[in-house]
């Protein structure tokens, strides 16, 4: 039997080691406290309490707030394959305006590359 994932809307912010992003992670997602580890100064990690225990997010990973208020990190490639902009606004801009064109361009490029590898192009 096959199943399809139900459409859900989540909140997410891509982790960057800058004050504005850390404030958004706290204010928009509600992750409190925001705990960044600088054990390796060149590779800061965000420590996230999850239902499965503490997890870490690297710079560039997405921090997702799930439908039940739970948090978890997600790698950018998996995030972009799994989620699409909902059309709702964040910081006064539509997510679709901010993300849809670059994501579509990247997906088109990946499709063309796959077709070339298979010898179709």
């Amino acid at each position: 039997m096959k199943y399809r994932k139900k459409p859900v809307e989540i909140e997410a912010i891509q982790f960057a080691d800058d004050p504005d992003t850390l404030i958004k992670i706290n204010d928009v997602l509600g992750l409190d406290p925001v705990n960044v580890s600088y054990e390796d100064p060149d590779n800061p990690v965000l420590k996230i309490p999850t239902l499965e225990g503490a997890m870490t997010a690297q710079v560039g990973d997405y921090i997702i707030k799930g439908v039940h208020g739970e948090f978890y990190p997600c790698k950018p490639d998996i995030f972009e394959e799994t989620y699409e902009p909902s059309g709702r606004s964040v910081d006064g801009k539509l997510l679709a305006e901010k993300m849809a064109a670059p994501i579509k361009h990247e997906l088109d490029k990946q499709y063309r590359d796959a077709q070339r590898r298979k010898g179709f192009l």
Side-chain angles (χ1 to χ4, degrees):
M1 184 177 271
K2 292 187 179 189
Y3 290 88
R4 179 174 40 166
K5 199 177 210 181
K6 293 180 181 179
V8 295
E9 190 171 281
I10 53 97
E11 291 182 276
I13 295 176
Q14 193 168 24
F15 173 49
D17 186 33
D18 64 67
D20 290 338
T21 302
L22 299 178
I23 289 169
K24 285 181 188 175
I25 289 172
N26 179 276
D27 291 347
V28 175
L29 296 183
L31 181 60
D32 186 29
V34 177
N35 183 3
V36 180
S37 171
Y38 294 96
E39 291 175 21
D40 177 357
D42 296 329
N43 189 24
V45 295
L46 177 65
K47 296 185 178 184
I48 305 166
T50 71
L51 298 173
E52 290 83 29
M55 297 182 86
T56 59
Q58 308 292 324
V59 169
D61 290 352
Y62 283 84
I63 313 309
I64 296 173
K65 182 177 183 179
V67 295
H68 296 292
E70 74 280 13
F71 296 98
Y72 52 96
C74 185
K75 293 292 179 194
D77 56 336
I78 302 298
F79 184 86
E80 290 169 2
E81 287 177 18
T82 308
Y83 298 98
E84 64 186 16
S86 69
R88 294 194 183 215
S89 63
V90 172
D91 296 337
K93 293 186 179 178
L94 283 178
L95 286 174
E97 292 173 2
K98 292 172 69 174
M99 297 176 59
I103 291 172
K104 182 179 182 330
H105 173 73
E106 183 60 30
L107 292 175
D108 290 345
K109 182 180 174 202
Q110 290 174 2
Y111 174 78
R112 287 191 306 273
D113 290 345
Q115 294 299 310
R116 280 190 198 98
R117 282 194 302 275
K118 292 177 184 175
F120 295 127
L121 294 178

